[in-house]
Amino acid sequence: MSENKIPYKIYLEEDEMPKAWYNLRADMKNKPAPLLNPGTGKPLTKEELAPIFCEELVNQELDDTTPYIDIPTEIRDFYKMYRPSPLVRAYCLEKKLGTPAKIYYKFEGNNTSGSHKLNSAIAQAYYAKKQGLKGVTTETGAGQWGTALSMACSYFDLDCKVFMVKVSYEQKPFRREVMRTYGASVVPSPSETTEVGKKILAEHPGTTGSLGCAISEAVEVATKSEGYRYVLGSVLNQVLLHQSVIGLETKIALDKYGIKPDMIIGCAGGGSNLGGLIGPFMGEKLRGEADYRIIAVEPASCPSFTRGTYAYDFCDTGMICPLAKMYTLGSSFIPSANHAGGLRFHGMSSTLSQLYHDGYMEATSVEQTSVFEAAEMFARVEGILPAPESSHAIRVAIDEALKCKETGEEKTIVFGLTGTGYFDLVAYQKYNDGEMSDYIPTDEEIAASVAKLPKVE
Amino acid sequence: MSENKIPYKIYLEEDEMPKAWYNLRADMKNKPAPLLNPGTGKPLTKEELAPIFCEELVNQELDDTTPYIDIPTEIRDFYKMYRPSPLVRAYCLEKKLGTPAKIYYKFEGNNTSGSHKLNSAIAQAYYAKKQGLKGVTTETGAGQWGTALSMACSYFDLDCKVFMVKVSYEQKPFRREVMRTYGASVVPSPSETTEVGKKILAEHPGTTGSLGCAISEAVEVATKSEGYRYVLGSVLNQVLLHQSVIGLETKIALDKYGIKPDMIIGCAGGGSNLGGLIGPFMGEKLRGEADYRIIAVEPASCPSFTRGTYAYDFCDTGMICPLAKMYTLGSSFIPSANHAGGLRFHGMSSTLSQLYHDGYMEATSVEQTSVFEAAEMFARVEGILPAPESSHAIRVAIDEALKCKETGEEKTIVFGLTGTGYFDLVAYQKYNDGEMSDYIPTDEEIAASVAKLPKVE
């Protein structure tokens, strides 16, 4: 292997790193549907969004025409602390599988948040600071986003309030300590500290919570507190914009070595990693310059792309957020408590939903135990213990590589390894003890929550 | 900051990575004292060491004349999966401190073992495999070495039995799960599975264990099991040899940019990181080619350099291991249970002990709460949550940088950031809750264990 020309890890030099984010929407003919005001059913204006989000982030949220947006120097400096992330050639995994496929992964886990989430957290914290705010509120599921935001807020000396989905808060006490070390306050959601939290607790006593609940609580606190705004780690257009740094770096690294991928695989929860990873490749596809298979992988226990409905829905359970058009399981859908890790949002990025609807990408769902099987194999040969989320992409990358083994095709597979599983050891323990099970929602369960979708003209 | 010529992170290209380890002993006029047979008091021969260690590792252990030893291709290939590690310019820490000092750290935490320990684990597993062994046994304290060895054994398909110091086993259940995910078996030490374990438990019921106990158990199992050998993650000459990859990479990276450090700072438990980091710099110093301040930092609760005795002692509590001449607190010394993380070995590498004795390096000890204060500051500005071990070096690097602030000197400080603190959140929680305390052993306590040192002519 040593004499191979492509190194194990491709790193960019600092001056090769992207200086602007790529705004995928600019190249879409069918733009993603706008956010609607749930009261009026009309598209939300800047003025209506301003009490929720920072001004500059509202601009980014609504801008679907500017293809490149400069990354401010302060953010680029922060990126230099933990980026570029390596594009890794998975030589050892290829050897283990005995596949002629060439497998690459973009590894975003080499920072204390343990994932790609820091790419958008630092951007959102920067704009909040620039606007002179006191602090921000947010929700977190598996805890990666909350950790990332805590780190970003600590860097810019902003207050940070995190509502953490109760089941994760209990399963991952150490995530909370990391956030506290970075100075954030962390509240298990649903909580008694908000009106919407009290209401949800009254209706569903003993609930383990959901991202949708936690979003409602965080939005309530942001809009009721002077000098605060709400920030979100996924789903939004602005997040996909910031996360485009993943795909841009990936493309620069591949181009340096003249590598053209056949397929790009990413896990999909709200779409932050997937949208960021595929951005520049999807752009080429939209402009007719290149073709790639683009595959979204979601958990069978929370299958918004593969079993959801393309419709307007609330982003939160408390129904106080704007309506977004997306593939959704209904905002009242709560994944089974035996579902490990993240990827538990009921909906999906509007941008990715539109692209999927228009046939530019595929989606597939995988079951939990097969995901951990892939995770363990990957860990043992590639030396990185992956996050359960990321392992969804590993599963499908392995499956595609095994298909190549059968057909003898030397396809080039790129997947996103969004993070590490160091805070997911309760789930790994279950898997190691043979106590992990799969859960696939029934058609009736999904139909029940979809039936509650809001009526939009 | 952006226009500064030195990047935030200096990475070597694959072909710039070291192809041979550096054997510091070759340049020492006063060689480290040999290991002795505790029965005869005579230096141990190859034949006597062969039942404990792999043949090739015995050769490396005893070789104090060959300056460079080739790194086998298989190990270099594995290194390429997670190395080179970055040499980071701590721009943000410098800014926070307002110091004219230039601070660099070599970050070894970007792998799933979370530390530099993998550098030697993969080498020791390789030689065990090459010798046709079935497996290896070892001990682990904080868990980094056990994790590293599990990863290495999994890669080479070797069985791996880990005796984990009981207090760490209980405080760090997730470390155990990582090891299990890599296929290792993990036993809390002292245990009822060995003769020496039973003896220690009988004498000290309720003991929280020590590295010294765990070593005794691991050695017993290795020497009594067909096809097994014992491996150790620190202290030994062979380990310092493998860890020289840290210092070699650091020196290549510094030389690329024409940087000459004034001082090199490393934390010291058994000496694996410190010996590896300082190796090539100490070599220059020994050969009279350059001068550097070299500073070992140890915990005030386990101060072998600063308060120990330079004498022959057992490496283990059960007194079944060879005798090594080293700075030691006595093999019966067990650090206070409130001591967090690693750096809890009663002795110190013989090589480093000789160098310290000969005046080639300094040593200092720091208290736990001040270490966590430094860790938190570092995490907040540099974005990496450091291991408690590594944070000993951070503490002294910060103190030296603050001295520069007073004097106005633009000194260049290099320190070793051995790993991440993702499995040390119980300790961080104590610190966050204001419940962490310091413990400094009394002179009487140290005198009591030193009084039990073996008599050697």
Side-chain angles (χ1 to χ4, degrees), chain B residues 338-380:
Chain B
N338 87 338
H339 167 86
L343 310 182
R344 45 172 63 242
F345 186 59
H346 64 274
M348 182 56 65
S349 144
S350 289
T351 299
L352 294 179
S353 292
Q354 184 68 50
L355 290 165
Y356 180 61
H357 186 69
D358 290 344
Y360 287 104
M361 52 189 280
E362 306 164 36
T364 185
S365 75
V366 289
E367 293 184 38
Q368 182 157 273
T369 49
S370 76
V371 165
F372 275 81
E373 184 194 11
E376 189 191 80
M377 180 200 278
F378 182 85
R380 291 190 179 191

Side-chain angles (χ1 to χ4, degrees), chain A residues 68-109:
Chain A
Y68 286 94
I69 293 176
D70 285 346
I71 308 175
T73 306
E74 291 85 346
I75 299 174
R76 286 173 51 206
D77 279 343
F78 189 88
Y79 278 172
K80 287 176 196 165
M81 284 210 296
Y82 72 100
R83 307 198 67 81
S85 69
L87 181 71
V88 186
R89 174 74 184 267
Y91 284 118
C92 297
L93 180 61
E94 292 171 16
K95 193 177 159 195
K96 173 83 181 171
L97 297 172
T99 178
K102 293 168 177 57
I103 308 175
Y104 295 84
Y105 55 92
K106 180 70 170 168
F107 179 42
E108 292 286 318

Side-chain angles (χ1 to χ4, degrees), chain A residues 8-9 14 83 112 433, chain B residues 8-9 14 83 180 385:
Chain A
Y8 279 62
K9 294 191 256 72
E14 246 177 37
R83 307 198 67 81
T112 288
D433 290 339
Chain B
Y8 279 63
K9 293 191 257 70
E14 246 177 38
R83 306 198 68 81
R180 283 181 73 205
L385 188 83

Side-chain angles (χ1 to χ4, degrees), chain A residues 155-335:
Chain A
Y155 186 77
F156 284 124
D157 201 18
L158 281 167
D159 187 42
C160 180
K161 291 186 203 299
V162 180
F163 288 87
M164 187 169 187
V165 176
K166 194 177 278 172
V167 62
S168 299
Y169 184 89
E170 285 162 3
Q171 279 190 358
K172 302 187 176 187
F174 292 166
R175 279 278 190 205
R176 182 187 64 214
E177 288 311 317
V178 180
M179 293 187 244
R180 284 181 73 205
T181 300
Y182 284 93
S185 64
V186 189
V187 180
S189 168
S191 77
E192 298 282 353
T193 68
T194 65
E195 293 309 313
V196 68
K198 285 180 202 164
K199 187 162 168 270
I200 291 166
L201 282 170
E203 284 170 15
H204 307 278
T207 176
T208 54
S210 72
L211 266 189
C213 301
I215 293 173
S216 299
E217 294 200 82
V219 171
E220 182 184 314
V221 171
T223 51
K224 287 184 176 171
S225 311
E226 180 70 28
Y228 281 77
R229 292 294 184 282
Y230 166 70
V231 297
L232 179 64
S234 191
V235 183
L236 296 175
N237 296 322
Q238 58 188 268
V239 176
L240 268 65
L241 176 72
H242 307 147
Q243 294 295 358
S244 69
V245 69
I246 305 172
L248 291 164
E249 281 187 9
T250 302
K251 182 134 179 53
I252 295 166
L254 291 171
D255 286 350
K256 261 179 101 159
Y257 288 87
I259 304 159
K260 199 177 164 308
D262 293 291
M263 68 189 87
I264 299 155
I265 301 168
C267 62
S272 67
N273 156 67
L274 182 70
L277 174 67
I278 69 174
F281 302 97
M282 183 60 88
E284 288 184 290
K285 195 165 170 170
L286 290 166
R287 297 189 303 268
E289 296 166 7
D291 197 17
Y292 307 97
R293 273 186 74 196
I294 293 176
I295 308 173
V297 189
E298 57 186 17
S301 54
C302 193
S304 46
F305 266 137
T306 52
R307 296 178 66 201
T309 300
Y310 189 41
Y312 266 104
D313 191 10
F314 287 96
C315 290
D316 66 325
T317 312
M319 304 189 183
I320 64 172
C321 281
L323 298 173
K325 191 172 180 189
M326 56 186 177
Y327 281 86
T328 178
L329 298 161
S331 68
S332 63
F333 181 86
I334 293 184

